[in-house]
């Protein structure tokens, strides 16, 4: 399985996790490290920090050790949440949930990432970069006609109906505009609008993608 298909699989697993949470209540590469050689060299390949971390994470399952490695990458912005999500599902990689809890407590990762990999149901607060209940309610007349203003109910409607339809959940993110402005992502995701929210949450907002 190639890198693109692996990443698309991770995105779909996250989407399935989102739908499961509601019932209970390919990847664009990350930043690359690159430096020009100081002398003539045949070694001109560039590598992502994710690529460099994977071998270590296949060996070191110490909670604090993994926490420190990921913390350093996040602080220096050489990895982002999407990289962690991808690594979490790579065969042989062991990222203790306790390490992610420490990162979450430090404010370095979101509840969206932590709760998905942990299989914990989450709320609208975990996807605030793409959803605001008041905005969503006021924007769509059909929602106002059929639903009372209940943030939890609106959240479920957004996930089950709004996201697949590509509805705008907040003033700062429009999935259809995101698709149009980022053709490399559109090539992978097509009209599966739910995955554009996933990509923006995990990658785009850190990469400062056009939206």
């Amino acid at each position: 399985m190639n890198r693109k298909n692996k990443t698309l699989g991770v995105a779909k697993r996250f989407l399935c996790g989102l739908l499961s949470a509601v019932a209970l209540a390919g990847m664009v590469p990350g930043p690359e490290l690159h430096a020009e050689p100081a002398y003539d060299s045949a070694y001109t390949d560039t590598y992502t920090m994710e690529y460099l971390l994977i071998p270590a994470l296949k060996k070191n399952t110490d909670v604090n050790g993994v926490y420190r490695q990921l913390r350093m990458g996040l602080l220096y912005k050489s990895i982002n949440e999407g990289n962690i999500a991808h690594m979490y599902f790579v065969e042989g990689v062991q990222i203790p949930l306790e390490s992610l809890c420490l990162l979450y407590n430090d404010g370095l990762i979101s509840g969206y990432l932590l709760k998905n990999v942990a299989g914990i149901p989450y709320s609208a607060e975990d996807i605030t970069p793409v959803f605001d209940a008041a905005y969503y309610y006021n924007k769509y007349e059909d929602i106002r006609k059929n639903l009372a203003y209940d943030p939890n109910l609106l959240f479920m409607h957004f996930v089950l109906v709004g996201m697949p339809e590509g509805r705008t959940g907040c003033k700062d993110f429009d999935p259809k505009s995101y698709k149009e402005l980022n053709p490399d992502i559109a090539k992978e995701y097509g009209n599966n609008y739910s995955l554009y929210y996933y990509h923006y949450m995990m990658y785009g907002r850190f990469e400062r993608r056009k939206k």
Side-chain angles (χ1 to χ4, degrees):
M1 183 181 293
N2 61 33
R3 181 183 180 86
K4 174 181 172 181
N5 290 336
K6 274 187 177 180
T7 306
L8 189 57
V10 172
K12 288 180 177 177
R13 281 195 292 271
F14 267 71
L15 181 57
C16 289
L18 176 61
L19 296 177
S20 297
V22 169
L24 292 172
M27 170 174 126
V28 176
E32 291 187 338
L33 300 180
H34 178 70
E36 295 296 333
Y39 51 86
D40 291 338
S41 171
Y43 299 100
T44 57
D45 290 341
T46 59
Y47 298 95
T48 63
M49 179 57 76
E50 176 188 337
Y51 178 90
L52 297 173
L53 279 173
I54 284 175
L57 293 174
K58 286 185 176 181
K59 298 177 181 179
N60 183 8
T61 57
D62 173 73
V63 170
N64 290 322
V66 173
Y67 160 69
R68 287 193 296 270
Q69 290 182 71
L70 296 180
R71 182 176 185 275
M72 186 69 69
L74 290 165
L75 287 173
Y76 284 97
K77 302 186 186 303
S78 55
I79 60 171
N80 57 39
E81 292 194 16
N83 300 130
I84 294 176
H86 181 260
M87 288 189 289
Y88 194 88
F89 292 106
V90 170
E91 185 177 355
V93 168
Q94 299 184 56
I95 300 178
L97 184 59
E98 294 92 335
S99 301
L100 297 184
C101 288
L102 291 172
L103 295 171
Y104 175 74
N105 291 337
D106 286 348
L108 293 174
I109 63 171
S110 67
Y112 181 72
L113 170 62
L114 175 64
K115 294 180 181 180
N116 266 289
V117 299
I120 301 171
Y122 54 87
S123 69
E125 293 180 357
D126 297 311
I127 58 167
T128 53
V130 297
F131 178 69
D132 174 81
Y135 176 94
Y136 189 61
Y137 184 77
N138 291 322
K139 183 172 178 63
Y140 295 102
E141 184 178 357
D142 62 322
I143 294 177
R144 293 195 301 276
K145 286 183 177 180
N146 294 291
L147 297 177
Y149 182 78
D150 180 325
N152 289 326
L153 189 61
L154 291 167
F155 168 64
M156 288 189 284
H157 183 279
F158 176 66
V159 173
L160 296 174
V161 179
M163 290 175 71
E165 292 182 353
R167 295 199 187 205
T168 304
C170 70
K171 67 182 180 63
D172 295 322
F173 181 74
D174 179 347
K176 294 180 179 178
S177 174
Y178 192 65
K179 174 187 175 184
E180 182 179 345
L181 294 171
N182 297 279
D184 57 326
I185 306 171
K187 187 176 180 180
E188 287 192 49
Y189 295 162
N191 290 323
N192 190 337
Y193 284 106
S194 296
L195 293 181
Y196 291 96
Y197 299 95
Y198 161 81
H199 186 278
Y200 177 69
M201 284 285 294
M202 302 303 293
Y203 298 97
R205 61 194 180 119
F206 304 110
E207 297 172 358
R208 298 184 180 180
R209 289 259 183 173
K210 294 179 180 179
K211 57 185 176 69

